[in-house]
Amino acid sequence: MMSVIDILGEQEETLGTAEDLREEIIVESLQEELSGSLVKIEFETSMGLCRGYYHSGELGHEEVNMEEASMEILKALFPACNGVFVHQTNRDWVEISLAEHISGFPEYKLYNRVVSGGAA
């Protein structure tokens, strides 16, 4: 019986804790974006995780290229959805662009951001 307990103990150590995951996410979101950097993002909706990427620009408010499955989730949540943009003033958020005019746009806080270098 003792060996079973040892195996579980080792597995628990390799999985890490929720606190470890939180720290990792915070560190990744602090990576500096340079103009031209490829940035992969994820954000959580009520229907699941959405993924996409964008290239950093000088002006901000970049359009996010969403994965097809993620765009389907957004269209299910917001039938008038016609795109996703990095928030103009707070780069930890994305705005869901809608074809219809309403006051304000739906927004989501980024769950994860990975910057992978700039264009040469």
Side-chain angles (χ1 to χ4, degrees):
M1 216 35 161
M2 192 62 126
S3 61
V4 172
I5 294 169
D6 289 345
I7 291 168
L8 289 175
E10 286 173 23
Q11 281 181 333
E12 198 173 329
E13 286 174 27
T14 57
L15 291 174
T17 64
E19 196 61 43
D20 293 338
L21 293 173
R22 246 194 312 278
E23 287 173 19
E24 189 176 315
I25 291 165
I26 291 166
V27 168
E28 284 184 358
S29 69
L30 293 176
Q31 286 178 303
E32 189 178 352
E33 289 181 32
L34 303 171
S35 186
S37 294
L38 174 66
V39 184
K40 295 179 181 176
I41 62 162
E42 295 178 330
F43 56 92
E44 185 80 57
T45 71
S46 59
M47 291 179 65
L49 203 58
C50 290
R51 294 181 175 90
Y53 69 91
Y54 64 93
H55 290 81
S56 287
E58 296 285 330
L59 301 174
H61 209 242
E62 297 89 347
E63 182 167 8
V64 179
N65 298 292
M66 299 302 297
E67 289 181 359
E68 194 174 331
S70 297
M71 205 60 197
E72 288 172 14
I73 288 172
L74 292 174
K75 287 208 180 267
L77 287 167
F78 310 104
C81 173
N82 62 3
V84 177
F85 293 85
V86 178
H87 195 283
Q88 186 82 49
T89 54
N90 186 345
R91 299 189 65 79
D92 287 335
W93 291 75
V94 292
E95 291 178 326
I96 309 303
S97 177
L98 303 175
E100 61 198 20
H101 289 286
I102 57 168
S103 60
F105 289 116
E107 298 176 340
Y108 287 99
K109 185 162 178 37
L110 293 185
Y111 171 74
N112 203 352
R113 174 191 284 135
V114 179
V115 179
S116 56

